[in-house]
């Protein structure tokens, strides 16, 4: 583990240990403000089954995610978080990775700062926790663009939507009920557990506008994400024998509408378009000339009961909009989900039927089953 990440994790664990001691009464003092530090551990487990209707040899049972960690507060303004994943694929076997560790300071009820390693604020489809996803798999544009905005290589594998950096988040609420929110992050651009290897920093952010809350007609949010960074290779005899910098940028527009009754979801419509451009071509093999991947998705969910919903999504992805050929793919996904103990507890069984077209290995339909437990 790199030195910077080790220092961050150690700092977070020290804060967590201090919180536990105070909770146990070891450091509490009379006459205090009444604030009590918190330490809230969690464990998220997802077990899956994959059935490929065109290739029975690829059918399998999987453990996609086994994540654990804790959230807590040291003071009313200072909080911490750390999360590890024990189901990350390595070169030869599963290995544990530190996915997130950060400290968060609240300047006010609307403005905060995070420092550490965490998800960068680009898009809405994969930004929330996987425990809230409506489908087992995110749309193609997240695996093809958003996930790999940071550097990826054979050692660390594909990107994890995360990087080391600092983020400022805030919002402005108006008397009319409308709200403007924004998040800006300055990050290394090298992905998780990686030190920076150049003086350039990557910049990513998202700005959104939300409508007033309405019980009958629902609420909507429209947002825009942007990214600007540099892919840098040092002393790589194949990719960059003399070290090279390659500019990268991405832009996205998103929309979401939610309808709730009694604080429970009833229906959702969500759509997003993402385009990108990189001078480096593919992240694994540098190519000559610019490559412009992009795509979109549209999805919706409808609850027929408080604990069951149907879902439908269509998404497309083009590896390079500058070329024509067999570098596009599209997919229609039909989903059904049942919450085992109510929506708020998030234990659920999710079944997806994916109708794929123009995949590299052919056009094959797939069935994916995911069981998610949240503790």
């Amino acid at each position: 583990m790199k030195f910077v990440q080790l220092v961050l994790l150690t700092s977070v664990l020290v804060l967590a240990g201090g919180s536990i001691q105070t909770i146990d009464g070891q450091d509490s003092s009379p006459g205090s403000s009444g604030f009590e530090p918190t330490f809230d551990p969690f464990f998220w487990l997802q077990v899956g089954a994959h059935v490929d209707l065109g290739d029975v040899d690829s059918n399998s049972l999987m453990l996609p995610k086994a994540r654990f960690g804790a959230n807590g507060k040291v003071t009313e303004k200072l909080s911490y978080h750390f999360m590890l994943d024990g189901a990350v694929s390595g070169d030869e076997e599963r290995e544990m990775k530190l996915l997130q560790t950060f400290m968060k300071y609240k300047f006010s009820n609307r403005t905060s700062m995070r420092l550490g390693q965490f998800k960068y604020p680009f898009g809405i489809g994969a930004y929330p926790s996987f425990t809230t996803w409506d489908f087992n798999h995110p749309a193609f544009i997240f695996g093809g663009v958003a996930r790999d905005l940071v550097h990826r290589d054979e050692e660390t594998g594909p990107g994890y939507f995360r990087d080391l950096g600092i983020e400022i988040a805030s919002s402005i609420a108006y008397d009319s009920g409308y709200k403007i929110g924004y998040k800006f992050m300055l990050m290394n651009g090298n992905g998780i557990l990686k030190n920076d290897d150049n003086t350039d920093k990557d910049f990513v952010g998202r700005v959104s506008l939300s409508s007033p809350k309405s019980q009958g007609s629902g609420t909507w949010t429209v947002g825009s994400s942007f990214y600007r960074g540099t892919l840098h290779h040092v002393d790589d005899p194949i990719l960059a024998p003399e070290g090279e910098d390659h500019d990268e940028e991405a832009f996205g527009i998103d929309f979401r509408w939610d309808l709730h009754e009694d604080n429970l979801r009833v229906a959702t419509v969500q759509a997003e378009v993402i385009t990108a451009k990189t001078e480096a071509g593919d992240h694994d093999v540098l190519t000559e000339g610019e490559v412009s991947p992009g795509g979109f998705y549209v999805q919706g969910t409808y609850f027929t009961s408080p604990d069951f919903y149907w879902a439908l999504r269509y998404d497309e992805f083009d590896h390079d909009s500058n070329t024509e050929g067999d570098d596009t793919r599209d997919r229609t996904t039909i989903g059904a989900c049942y919450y085992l103990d109510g929506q708020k507890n998030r234990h659920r069984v999710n079944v997806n039927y994916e109708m794929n077209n123009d995949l590299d290995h052919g056009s094959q339909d797939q069935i994916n089953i995911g069981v998610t437990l949240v503790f």
Side-chain angles (χ1 to χ4, degrees):
M1 186 181 298
K2 302 298 183 180
F3 176 74
V4 176
Q5 285 83 355
L6 180 60
V7 171
L8 278 170
L9 178 60
T10 302
S11 301
V12 169
L13 292 178
V14 169
L15 292 176
S19 299
I20 295 174
Q21 288 185 345
T22 306
I23 293 172
D24 291 340
Q26 298 178 27
D27 291 336
S28 59
S29 59
S32 63
S33 62
F35 172 80
E36 295 184 0
T38 62
F39 178 80
D40 299 315
F42 63 84
F43 176 59
W44 303 338
L45 178 66
Q46 187 178 67
V47 180
H50 172 82
V51 179
D52 194 317
L53 302 182
D55 183 6
V56 295
D57 293 336
S58 66
N59 297 342
S60 63
L61 293 174
M62 301 169 291
L63 182 65
K65 297 175 177 66
R67 298 180 178 177
F68 59 95
N71 299 297
K73 285 187 174 182
V74 180
T75 69
E76 292 182 347
K77 294 186 176 182
L78 180 62
S79 59
Y80 60 87
H81 164 93
F82 65 91
M83 180 175 69
L84 298 94
D85 194 337
V88 176
S89 296
D91 293 337
E92 298 180 356
E93 59 184 10
R94 297 284 184 174
E95 59 182 13
M96 186 178 299
K97 281 188 180 294
L98 175 66
L99 289 185
Q100 296 191 157
T101 177
F102 62 81
M103 292 174 284
K104 181 178 180 180
Y105 184 81
K106 292 183 62 175
F107 297 98
S108 66
N109 290 333
R110 299 190 179 278
T111 304
S112 64
M113 177 183 69
R114 286 198 295 178
L115 174 65
Q117 179 175 286
F118 46 87
K119 277 189 175 181
Y120 40 82
F122 188 92
I124 60 174
Y127 185 73
S129 162
F130 77 92
T131 61
T132 66
W133 293 359
D134 290 333
F135 298 87
N136 290 326
H137 298 149
F140 285 140
I141 54 175
F142 295 107
V145 178
R147 181 187 65 182
D148 293 329
L149 292 178
V150 297
H151 176 57
R152 57 176 292 183
D153 55 30
E154 293 183 357
E155 179 183 354
T156 58
Y160 293 94
F161 303 101
R162 295 168 173 85
D163 200 6
L164 179 67
I166 183 171
E167 177 193 77
I168 296 293
S170 187
S171 63
I172 303 173
Y174 297 94
D175 294 338
S176 60
Y178 287 93
K179 183 173 72 173
I180 294 177
Y182 62 84
K183 295 181 178 181
F184 299 131
M185 181 178 177
L186 190 68
M187 61 186 189
N188 282 345
N190 272 4
I192 67 171
L193 305 177
K194 301 269 291 187
N195 287 338
D196 203 4
D197 57 10
N198 62 352
T199 58
D200 297 323
K201 295 294 181 288
D202 291 9
F203 183 73
V204 62
R206 180 173 180 269
V207 179
S208 63
L209 172 65
S210 300
S211 68
K213 293 183 178 180
S214 174
Q215 187 70 18
S217 58
T219 58
W220 54 262
T221 298
V222 59
S224 178
S225 302
F226 50 91
Y227 162 83
R228 176 72 179 178
T230 301
L231 177 63
H232 185 67
H233 292 280
V234 178
D235 298 330
D236 191 311
I238 298 177
L239 298 182
E242 299 180 356
E244 299 179 5
D245 289 333
H246 300 274
D247 291 337
E248 297 184 301
E249 59 185 37
F251 177 76
I253 298 176
D254 57 75
F255 172 83
R256 181 179 174 95
W257 171 82
D258 285 287
L259 179 64
H260 290 78
E261 289 184 2
D262 299 326
N263 295 321
L264 296 176
R265 289 176 60 195
V266 175
T268 301
V269 175
Q270 183 171 308
E272 194 161 0
V273 178
I274 294 177
T275 61
K277 181 176 66 175
T278 172
E279 295 177 347
D282 191 276
H283 275 266
D284 297 318
V285 180
L286 294 180
T287 60
E288 296 181 358
E290 295 181 351
V291 174
S292 300
F296 72 94
Y297 71 89
V298 179
Q299 68 182 51
T301 59
Y302 181 74
F303 283 78
T304 57
S305 73
D307 299 331
F308 181 87
Y309 71 76
W310 291 100
L312 179 65
R313 180 180 67 195
Y314 176 78
D315 65 311
E316 288 188 4
F317 176 69
D318 189 344
H319 288 276
D320 185 7
S321 60
N322 297 325
T323 62
E324 295 182 1
D326 298 330
D327 59 351
T328 62
R329 57 173 62 180
D330 62 82
R331 173 178 59 186
T332 300
T333 305
I334 301 173
C337 179
Y338 177 71
Y339 286 91
L340 302 175
D341 191 26
Q343 289 186 38
K344 294 184 178 180
N345 290 323
R346 294 184 289 174
H347 307 305
R348 61 181 183 175
V349 178
N350 202 329
V351 181
N352 292 171
Y353 183 85
E354 299 179 352
M355 293 170 280
N356 294 291
N357 187 31
D358 294 333
L359 291 177
D360 294 337
H361 59 278
S363 300
Q364 300 171 352
D365 293 350
Q366 301 172 359
I367 298 175
N368 293 287
I369 303 173
V371 179
T372 302
L373 303 177
V374 179
F375 302 100

